[in-house]
Amino acid sequence: MPNGRKPDGVIVAEFPGLPTDWSTVAASIEIKSSAHGIEDSVLSGQLLQDFLDMAEHQPRRFMIGLAVASDCKVFVHLCLPHGIYSCAVGQLPSAAETESRHFELIRFVLAMYTALPADLGFLAHTPYGFSSTFKVTDIPGCTVSSEEFKGMDIKLQGGRAFNGRRGRLTGSRSWIYRAQVQSADGTQSSAIFKFIWYSKARSEVDVHTKVQDMDIPYVPRLLHSAKVILPKVNLTEHEEVVGDILVVADAGVGLEAYFASATIFGDMVPFIDVVAGYVHTLLAANNAYGDTHVLHRDISVNNLMVRGGQPVVIDWGFGVIFDHTTLRVASKDAIIGTAPFMGIRVLASHGTRSVIDDLESLFLVLSYLLWSEYGTKNDHHLDLWGGKMEKDKLADNRSNWLASPAEYIKRMELRPTDSKVLALVKQFYHVVFPEDPGIYKIRNDASDPRLAAFDAHALLGVFDAVVEPTGDVQTPCLDKLRRFVDENPRVGFMSEETKTSGKRTATDAGHSSMLPPSKLRY
């Protein structure tokens, strides 16, 4: 396979011109000697990795694997969002054996070779291959309310899958592709096609629709959506698995690529203006709109985009919608987000979330970009951004790094630069981690001590200290942020009370991603 892994065998769905790779694998086969039972960790580990590779390269409703072990017994493994289920289906015969039960097993294997790709779990399939044009009605179990969407052609153009959280292929899985969408009148447009499984009832469509209806700035337009329901499987008593399909307006390029480009050309004011737009989005979503508030809860380097010089905040799948007349602090069940960019209190598993946590994640994104571009990728960088790590250890590393402004700068080992982004993050640090109460009280106190004193006007000061307003400098996003804060004087108000009942549209348990940023791009 292209990634160097070699399962013992594969069953592939072949189409003219398509190579044999993980995107066309219909079932993987792992063979072990009689010393390995079905519960053997080596065998199960290899099967899990096969499923991860299959899921990463092609959207699927489920995945199938075969294992041959324990005196040539054959087991079939079905990988659902609930988990992986196994069942013995027979025993391979020797050359001299002709019992009917052996022929039944051979018929089963041959049936898999002749099955349609849709029967082997592929999300959608046409006679022309997986990357060709298809309609959402080609997806088994898909329900579409929009007649326009039913007749729309979608052509996937390559993308990336996110597997089960923490490397387990259970829970949410999502596939994101750039796509060309063609409507019934022949009009083509660029868009993002996203498909995501949820093992419990929650919906990214609900949150995205809410922020769109609230007219929150810099949120990509949700063009179309649909639901896919995976029928209940007799092996499990779990509820039905629901999938969301979203077709979203093209969001442009990632913030990391945009930052690299701005660094080359040397003008960082447009970049800083984009950052002001992100702040505007987070504050506006958390402000009162008919007593409805939204937290994003997964601000990371992957979810901040730029299109045509305008900021775009994507991936509202971990967002939470909650209602209250004054409180804007949401309860949560477990840590959610992308670990390297989680706020310190989120890593510490405190029971509430606020917009301050999202702003802290934005600060961490800026710090990551600055460190990666101008700093040294030393052991400190590895401890914070380099790989999988337990959240408590990551929280310790983060606390030591952010213990003081001097320590924050020292550990990055920045080469000499007059970048305005360095001045921006220095100012941002003092807003997110004020000297009083300090990082350790922020991490350890039962309630977030920043809530009572939070002032959105201080965020304006961050930008004003870096960007001098002149007639030659255009900062449209910053200007809009200023007007928003001035017109909403209570935007920075946070009650000291930290318990409120939130309508969580995202199931919290088990949805933290401990992968490094480099593994999470799409």
Side-chain angles (χ1 to χ4, degrees), residues 49-97:
Q49 189 58 57
D50 291 347
F51 290 147
L52 289 169
D53 289 331
M54 292 165 68
E56 182 175 357
H57 292 89
Q58 184 66 36
R60 304 169 191 257
R61 294 174 293 126
F62 56 85
M63 283 155 290
I64 296 174
L66 298 179
V68 183
S70 301
D71 298 323
C72 294
K73 290 181 180 177
V74 179
F75 295 82
V76 61
H77 303 268
L78 183 64
C79 181
L80 299 168
H82 308 309
I84 299 174
Y85 301 90
S86 304
C87 178
V89 293
Q91 186 168 1
L92 289 174
S94 67
E97 292 177 311

Side-chain angles (χ1 to χ4, degrees), residues 188-469:
Q188 289 193 358
S189 58
S190 297
I192 300 297
F193 176 90
K194 181 173 184 179
F195 169 72
I196 183 167
W197 277 129
Y198 301 117
S199 58
K200 294 185 179 179
R202 70 188 185 107
S203 173
E204 180 171 342
V205 172
D206 290 349
V207 183
H208 199 125
T209 301
K210 174 61 69 174
V211 294
Q212 188 166 274
D213 291 346
M214 292 165 65
D215 200 25
I216 303 303
Y218 314 122
V219 175
R221 190 159 65 94
L222 178 60
L223 303 175
H224 302 281
S225 63
K227 293 285 186 185
V228 179
I229 298 179
L230 185 70
K232 290 184 178 179
V233 177
N234 293 333
L235 290 172
T236 172
E237 297 179 357
H238 289 275
E239 62 203 85
E240 292 176 329
V241 179
V242 178
D244 271 349
I245 291 176
L246 300 90
V247 176
V248 183
D250 191 355
V253 301
L255 183 62
E256 190 167 7
Y258 183 73
F259 178 73
S261 176
T263 300
I264 292 172
F265 290 103
D267 184 6
M268 301 307 296
V269 172
F271 175 84
I272 292 171
D273 190 53
V274 163
V275 175
Y278 298 142
V279 171
H280 189 175
T281 299
L282 299 177
L283 290 179
N286 193 238
N287 200 35
Y289 287 84
D291 295 334
T292 297
H293 320 288
V294 179
L295 294 177
H296 187 283
R297 302 198 299 178
D298 192 19
I299 295 298
S300 71
V301 73
N302 307 298
N303 293 335
L304 300 175
M305 309 289 286
V306 183
R307 185 181 186 193
Q310 292 288 303
V312 184
V313 180
I314 65 170
D315 197 353
W316 293 80
F318 286 158
V320 57
I321 305 170
F322 59 106
D323 305 305
H324 201 282
T325 54
T326 57
L327 295 180
R328 277 173 283 147
V329 182
S331 60
K332 69 178 185 64
D333 296 332
I335 61 173
I336 275 183
T338 304
F341 304 106
M342 288 178 182
I344 192 68
R345 290 182 59 82
V346 182
L347 288 175
S349 299
H350 286 287
T352 56
R353 290 287 283 269
S354 76
V355 71
I356 299 177
D357 298 304
D358 282 351
L359 292 169
E360 184 179 340
S361 295
L362 177 58
F363 164 79
L364 292 169
V365 169
L366 297 176
S367 300
Y368 168 75
L369 296 176
L370 181 73
W371 196 337
S372 298
E373 182 66 30
Y374 296 105
T376 302
K377 293 185 178 179
N378 50 28
D379 290 343
H380 298 307
H381 185 278
L382 183 65
D383 289 342
L384 293 161
W385 317 106
K388 298 180 181 181
M389 188 176 299
E390 293 297 324
K391 64 182 180 65
D392 291 340
K393 179 63 176 175
L394 181 57
D396 290 340
N397 294 340
R398 180 91 58 75
S399 296
N400 294 333
W401 173 42
L402 300 173
S404 69
E407 190 65 23
Y408 167 68
I409 296 298
K410 176 183 176 182
R411 294 199 178 200
M412 290 192 284
E413 296 183 2
L414 301 174
R415 65 177 184 269
T417 176
D418 58 357
S419 172
K420 289 182 180 292
V421 178
L422 174 57
L424 180 73
V425 296
K426 285 181 176 179
Q427 295 291 327
F428 215 138
Y429 174 97
H430 292 289
V431 173
V432 179
F433 301 107
E435 184 177 357
D436 183 17
I439 183 68
Y440 293 105
K441 285 181 65 66
I442 291 171
R443 174 183 176 178
N444 297 314
D445 280 10
S447 61
D448 192 339
R450 299 172 293 185
L451 289 175
F454 178 75
D455 183 2
H457 289 84
L459 287 168
L460 290 178
V462 169
F463 296 97
D464 290 338
V466 178
V467 179
E468 298 179 4

